[in-house]
Amino acid sequence: TIAAQLAITYPDGNAGWGAYAVPILEWNTSDARATLYTLLGAVGVLMLIVCANVGNLMMVRATGRQGEISVRAALGASGWDIARLLLAESLLLGLLGGALGLLVASWGLDALMVLGSDIIPRATEVALDGRVMLFTVGLSLLSGLAFGLAPIWQSRRLNLNDAMKAGTRGGTGTARAQFFRHVLVGAEIALALVLLNSAGLLGRSFVQLSHVDPGFDPKGAWWMNLTIPTTRYDTEDKQAAFALDVLERVRVLPGITTAGLTAIMPFSGSDYVLGVEFPGRVTAPGEDVSAYYFPVGANYFPTMRTPILRGRNFTDADRTGAPRVAIVSETFAQTMFPGEDALGQRVHITNSEEKVWREIVGIVPDVKQFGLDQQNDPQIYEPFAQQPHNFMSFIVRTDSPTATVGLARTLRAAVYNVDPQQPVFSVSSVEDLVADSLAGREFSLILLLTFAAVALLLSAIGTYGVMAYTVAQRTREYGLRMALGALPNQVLKLVFNRGMRLVWWGLVAGALGSLASAQLIKSQLHQTASYDPFVLVSVAAVLLLAAAAACLISARRATRVDPMIALRSE
C-alpha cells in the first residue's frame, strides 16, 4: 500500500517499484535458520542410531531371557503382562538416559555458548528451563518406547515349547529376530554414512570457501571504526578535514608502513547501495540500476593491497573542486558497459539531486565486501575527499609483528589528539574480520563433525555387538567345524564375511540416503557439488574400515574356540 501511494505521489522516482515486508524475528534469524535446521537433523539421525543400538542390545537381552519369559508364560502370565514388564524396563532405561543427558547438557551448554554465542541469534536466551525438561522427558519416554518395541515383538512370537526345551542354555533367537538385528545394524551403518557424508561436504565447502580471494590481503592489516557527530562536524569540509588530520597522524606512527581510509570497511556488515545513471541512457520504470558505493581515501587500495587492473588510482589531487572521478569493479564494468571499455565513461551516483558526472578512471578486482561466499555485485568507489562522510574506518598495515603491541592504544591516541571527545568503536585486525565471517560455518562444521564421529563410533560398537553375540550363539557350530578339520583362517573368513555382508548393505542404503540428504544442505555448500564422489567414497571407506575392524575382532574370537570345550558344553 505504501509503495503504491509513493508511485502515485512521486511517479518519476517510484513508478514501477514495489516493496515487501519481512517480520523482524525472521529477518534476525534467517542467516542461522539453515544451520540450526541442519544441526537439528544431525541430532535426529544420531538419536536414531542410538535407538537402533540400544534396541539391538535389548533384543539380545530378551533372547537370553527366553527361558525366564517362557517360565512366566507357563505360570500364567499373559502376553500383556510380559509386554508390560519389558516396556517398563525400557522406559526406565530411557528416563535414566534422559536424566544423564540433562546433566551432560548442563555442562555442555557453557561450551556451546563459547562456540556459538556470537553466531546463534538470541543465544543468550538459551537455557535449560522447564520446557527443555519437559521435552527431554517426552523424548526419553518416546525413545524408551522405540527401542523397547523390538523385544516386546520378539517375546510375542516366542514358541513356549521350544523355549522350555532350551532349558538353562538360553534361547538362540528366531530367524526373524536375527534378521531384525541385522536390519538394525545395516540401518546404523546407513545413518552413520549420511552424517559422515554431510560433514564431509560441509568440510570440503569450508576449505573451498577459506581459499576464496577476498580481493584484498588481510594479513598484517588493522582497522578502527568511528562515527563523528554531525552536530560538531556539520559540513562536508569539516568532516574531510577531520578524516585527513587523523589519517596523517596515523601514517607516521612507528611500525606503520601505509594507512588508508574508507567510509565502509569490507566484512564489517555495513553497506551503501545507490542508483547509477549514464549519459544518454533511459532507465525503464522499476529497472534496478544500482551498485554498492564506497567513498575511499587516496591510499585505500595500496593499503588493502587491491591492485588497479586498468587505469589509475585516486590521488591527493582528487579533492573538492577537482573534476569528479570514480573507480569501478570488474563486475560493474562488465555489467554496465557490455562490449565497451568502461575507462573514460561517465557515471552519475544518485546520492544528490544535482547531477554530477564522474569519469571512470580505474578498474579494480571485485572485493568480497560482505563475506567470502558473496556473489560479485557491481561496486563503485569515489574519493572520500570529494564526498566526505561522518562515518569512517581507518586501515593501517604493518609488516612487523612487534608493531601490533599496543597498536589499538596508539590508534585511539591518534584520534584523541585530533578530538579528545571522539570515541573509537573498535580496533581489530582485518584477519579477524574475515575469520568472523566464517565463524557460523565453522561452528556448524565442528558440531556436525562431532556428531559424525559419535555416529561412527556407535555404528562400530553396534556391529561389534551383533557379531559378538552371533559368535557366542554359534559357538557349537564353530567348534564342530574346527573339530572336523576347518582351519582357524577359514573360520575367520566365514565369520568376517557374514559380518561384512551387513556392512555392505548398510553402505549401499547409506549412499542412497546421502544423495537425498545432501540436497537439504545444498544451500550451505560453496563451490561444492551436493553429489561429490570423492567425499562419499572417502567417508564410506572410513566407515568400512571401522566396521571391518569390529567384524574382525569378533571373527578372531571365533577362531579361539576350543572344539572339545565347545562340544562338551553343549
Side-chain angles (χ1 to χ4, degrees), residues 98-372:
L100 181 60
L102 280 175
L103 180 61
V104 175
S106 65
W107 300 333
L109 185 60
D110 294 336
L112 190 66
M113 289 301 99
V114 170
L115 287 174
S117 59
D118 297 331
I119 302 167
I120 304 174
R122 306 173 64 185
T124 55
E125 301 176 35
V126 176
L128 293 177
D129 55 13
R131 294 171 297 177
V132 177
M133 302 288 186
L134 185 62
F135 173 79
T136 304
V137 171
L139 187 60
S140 300
L141 292 174
L142 185 63
S143 302
L145 180 62
F147 59 67
L149 288 178
I152 293 174
W153 171 81
Q154 183 179 356
S155 67
R156 290 179 64 85
R157 295 179 174 272
L158 178 65
N159 188 307
L160 187 58
N161 290 328
D162 292 342
M164 293 293 289
K165 289 177 183 178
T168 58
R169 289 180 299 159
T172 59
T174 64
R176 289 185 178 181
Q178 185 179 12
F179 173 77
F180 193 68
R181 287 196 298 269
H182 291 174
V183 168
L184 287 179
V185 171
E188 286 185 56
I189 298 293
L191 292 172
L193 182 58
V194 169
L195 268 184
L196 285 169
N197 183 69
S198 299
L201 289 175
L202 288 180
R204 187 177 181 89
S205 173
F206 185 83
V207 172
Q208 294 280 7
L209 191 60
S210 61
H211 286 84
V212 170
D213 181 11
F216 58 87
D217 182 9
K219 295 181 179 179
W222 289 70
W223 75 292
M224 73 175 169
N225 183 36
L226 53 93
T227 299
I228 57 178
T230 54
T231 54
R232 195 158 65 250
Y233 301 92
D234 53 354
T235 65
E236 292 183 349
D237 290 339
K238 292 181 180 180
Q239 296 169 4
F242 173 87
L244 294 176
D245 195 358
V246 173
L247 189 60
E248 288 301 321
R249 293 175 182 270
V250 168
R251 281 176 178 171
V252 298
L253 291 176
I256 302 300
T257 57
T258 181
L261 167 67
T262 179
I264 300 176
M265 185 68 187
F267 289 82
S268 64
S270 302
D271 60 50
Y272 203 175
V273 182
L274 294 175
V276 292
E277 298 178 1
F278 307 97
R281 293 191 193 179
V282 179
T283 303
E287 183 180 356
D288 184 11
V289 183
S290 60
Y292 286 97
Y293 168 74
F294 307 96
V296 299
N299 211 33
Y300 171 76
F301 292 115
T303 303
M304 296 294 285
R305 292 181 179 171
T306 299
I308 305 296
L309 300 179
R310 296 177 55 210
R312 69 171 179 87
N313 189 14
F314 295 140
T315 66
D316 292 335
D318 298 319
R319 57 177 62 249
T320 303
R324 304 296 290 269
V325 293
I327 291 177
V328 299
S329 64
E330 285 185 287
T331 297
F332 186 103
Q334 296 168 2
T335 303
M336 305 300 179
F337 303 99
E340 301 180 56
D341 188 358
L343 287 180
Q345 301 282 358
R346 294 193 301 161
V347 58
H348 166 54
I349 304 173
T350 59
N351 58 340
S352 62
E353 296 183 359
E354 179 185 0
K355 281 198 174 181
V356 179
W357 298 103
R358 298 155 175 85
E359 180 185 354
I360 299 176
V361 297
I363 299 176
V364 295
D366 293 294
V367 174
K368 303 293 185 181
Q369 295 285 347
F370 312 106
L372 294 175

Side-chain angles (χ1 to χ4, degrees), residues 185-187 189-193 196 500-514 536 539-545 547:
V185 171
I189 298 293
L191 292 172
L193 182 58
L196 285 169
M500 291 306 296
R501 277 199 294 269
L502 305 179
V503 176
W504 283 115
W505 279 112
L507 290 177
V508 171
L512 297 177
S514 297
L536 184 58
V539 297
V542 172
L543 185 57
L544 179 64
L545 288 176

